[in-house]
Amino acid sequence: MALYESTPGGTYKSIAADLGINRATLREWVLRDRERRGVTTATAKPAARPREAASSADPDERVRQLEARVAELEASERKLATERDILRKAAKYFAGGDELVISRFQFVDDHRDTYGVKRLCQVLDVNRSSYYKWLSGAGARAARQHKDRVLAEEIRAVHGESGGAYGSPRITAELREKGRRVNEKRVARIMRTFSITGIRLRRRVRTTVPDPATSPAPDLFQRDFTATEPGRKYMGDITYLPLAGGEFLYLATVLDCFSRKVVGWSIADHMRTSLVVDALRMAASTRGDLDGAVFHSDHGAQYGSRAFAGLCDQLGVTRSMGAVGTSADNAACESFHASLKRETLQGAHDYGDAGTCRRTVFAWLTRYNTRRRHSANGHLSPNAYERRHHTAKLTLAA
């Protein structure tokens, strides 16, 4: 109470903080003491005056006051300069994200000999006890980091084998098949940490040109791109393949809805009806026959042509078409073609010459059926998914 009453400009908050007591408690004590002494609040304590305005009859005393004030200002300036230096050095540690608090702890540990733990924690607004708890787990943390680095190398190997196409779900499935017990969230975290990324989608170019003279087939799929058996439902589409010099090749595909297997495909430098006819003929050759199957496409003029309709009738295939101008009605094929170009172009603008394009696409389609993991198949390749289905049928029959 005496300290508060004798400190010009002192506040309950500042005095209580210096003494380590509660502000309200100090105020209660002071008011009770003044009441006991019969001192009113208005006269109890003189108003704070700037130190520069304090008068002193003794010149030596005045000099001592000024020297003390200068020393105080210099100390404050040194404190601010130190804080600026700490924050400037800490900037590279604080890039944001989930590891922000851990970065602060790491900064404190890296600079504790220069500034002291207490000062660093005050400036960075972290709790000292939390820092020491983090410090005590250094051994376990180093072990985890080592395991993460080992797993990162395994992820890089799988990622490289996929041609840089696999994301965390497929990489997790690949690692599990190899006997590695790992969580997909951990794989995704390590991929972010070590900058292991897949390939982004490219801008689409319109290839569907409807023919108003054709009679459309009904939509028998209704956006249901699944099937309970292989060979029941197929879907097809055309996509462009960019070459050097602004030229294009065109790819027509036929996919089985059960396993997403590519059962037929054709590449040409045109989009005439023969392009889709060749793809469907290959599908019939791959499957043996297509009798009783349903084939779904968009309203492209090739799929609505008489030649294609005649081939479907000859093969016993029922045609199905989505709505005009609605890509979602053939979304599974759209997604397949997007994946193909994303994983084969890998950010390039074109395939180069026609021969390179044909070889690249052929290699990818082959790998797609035999090895590439598909999310719709529980991360099995189309061939593996169909083998598992046939094995299950034989087991039930036995």
Side-chain angles (χ1 to χ4, degrees):
M1 291 183 293
L3 179 63
Y4 173 78
E5 298 287 11
S6 62
T7 304
T11 63
Y12 290 120
K13 182 178 180 180
S14 62
I15 299 299
D18 291 341
L19 299 176
I21 61 176
N22 187 276
R23 172 185 175 278
T25 301
L26 175 60
R27 181 176 181 277
E28 182 68 19
W29 289 349
V30 171
L31 293 178
R32 286 185 182 179
D33 180 64
R34 289 177 180 175
E35 183 180 356
R36 181 181 59 80
R37 291 187 289 116
V39 178
T40 62
T41 303
T43 61
K45 184 175 180 179
R49 295 179 299 169
R51 296 188 182 185
E52 293 78 6
S55 60
S56 175
D58 185 359
D60 293 338
E61 179 62 24
R62 176 63 175 164
V63 170
R64 283 194 294 272
Q65 291 177 358
L66 291 174
E67 289 176 344
R69 179 58 175 163
V70 169
E72 180 181 341
L73 291 174
E74 288 178 346
S76 177
E77 184 179 357
R78 286 193 299 271
K79 179 181 178 182
L80 290 174
T82 301
E83 290 179 356
R84 285 196 301 269
D85 188 43
I86 291 173
L87 293 174
R88 192 182 303 113
K89 291 181 178 179
K92 66 180 180 179
Y93 283 73
F94 305 150
D98 298 335
E99 303 297 323
L100 178 57
V101 175
I102 296 177
S103 295
R104 292 182 180 182
F105 290 154
Q106 187 62 57
F107 181 82
V108 171
D109 195 54
D110 291 345
H111 296 82
R112 58 185 299 175
D113 294 336
T114 304
Y115 301 105
V117 172
K118 180 178 179 181
R119 186 63 174 280
L120 287 166
C121 289
Q122 288 174 343
V123 173
L124 301 179
D125 192 27
V126 296
N127 193 294
R128 272 192 290 170
S129 62
S130 298
Y131 161 71
Y132 286 116
K133 183 177 180 180
W134 173 85
L135 193 63
S136 66
R141 190 165 54 255
R144 286 195 302 271
Q145 290 172 350
H146 175 71
K147 291 180 180 178
D148 283 353
R149 286 192 295 270
V150 172
L151 181 56
E153 291 305 312
E154 297 178 28
I155 291 173
R156 285 188 197 280
V158 174
H159 187 255
E161 291 172 2
S162 73
Y166 278 7
S168 58
R170 290 189 176 93
I171 287 179
T172 302
E174 189 77 27
L175 291 173
R176 286 175 177 171
E177 188 172 282
K178 293 180 179 180
R180 189 74 146 88
R181 297 181 60 183
V182 65
N183 183 279
E184 183 185 331
K185 290 183 178 180
R186 185 185 177 201
V187 171
R189 174 180 60 80
I190 291 176
M191 291 181 71
R192 288 193 304 270
T193 302
F194 290 86
S195 301
I196 306 172
T197 57
I199 307 161
R200 296 181 180 180
L201 287 171
R202 293 173 54 84
R203 180 176 60 87
R204 291 181 65 249
V205 173
R206 183 169 178 257
T207 55
T208 302
V209 182
D211 184 354
T214 61
S215 55
D219 186 354
L220 303 179
F221 271 35
Q222 296 297 318
R223 300 187 182 181
D224 179 10
F225 304 109
T226 62
T228 58
E229 293 281 338
R232 298 283 182 86
K233 295 167 65 177
Y234 296 96
M235 51 189 170
D237 198 5
I238 301 173
T239 191
Y240 76 102
L241 303 171
L243 305 178
E247 297 180 347
F248 297 94
L249 290 180
Y250 299 93
L251 169 70
T253 52
V254 178
L255 278 69
D256 192 310
C257 291
F258 175 74
S259 61
R260 300 297 201 273
K261 179 174 180 175
V262 184
V263 294
W265 58 274
S266 176
I267 296 180
D269 58 1
H270 60 80
M271 287 200 301
R272 294 191 291 273
T273 301
S274 59
L275 178 70
V276 297
V277 165
D278 288 345
L280 191 62
R281 287 189 185 279
M282 179 179 176
S285 176
T286 300
R287 288 305 197 193
D289 73 82
L290 301 179
D291 189 34
V294 177
F295 178 82
H296 182 80
S297 68
D298 57 27
H299 276 263
Q302 302 85 352
Y303 294 110
S305 66
R306 291 182 179 179
F308 187 77
L311 177 62
C312 288
D313 292 340
Q314 177 186 337
L315 297 174
V317 174
T318 303
R319 290 189 301 147
S320 168
M321 286 185 174
V324 177
T326 306
S327 61
D329 286 350
N330 203 19
C333 267
E334 299 272 356
S335 176
F336 168 80
H337 287 152
S339 297
L340 183 153
K341 286 190 279 190
R342 181 178 67 246
E343 297 179 14
T344 53
L345 285 171
Q346 300 190 7
H349 294 290
D350 57 69
Y351 291 94
D353 60 86
T356 300
C357 177
R358 290 175 182 274
R359 288 191 298 272
T360 301
V361 173
F362 171 78
W364 189 88
L365 292 174
T366 303
R367 187 181 184 281
Y368 172 88
N369 281 340
T370 58
R371 293 187 57 194
R372 186 183 182 277
R373 297 178 181 277
H374 203 298
S375 57
N377 299 340
H379 293 297
L380 293 176
S381 69
N383 282 359
Y385 191 66
E386 291 194 1
R387 282 197 300 271
R388 188 177 72 172
H389 173 75
H390 293 313
T391 301
K393 283 187 66 175
L394 291 174
T395 303
L396 289 174

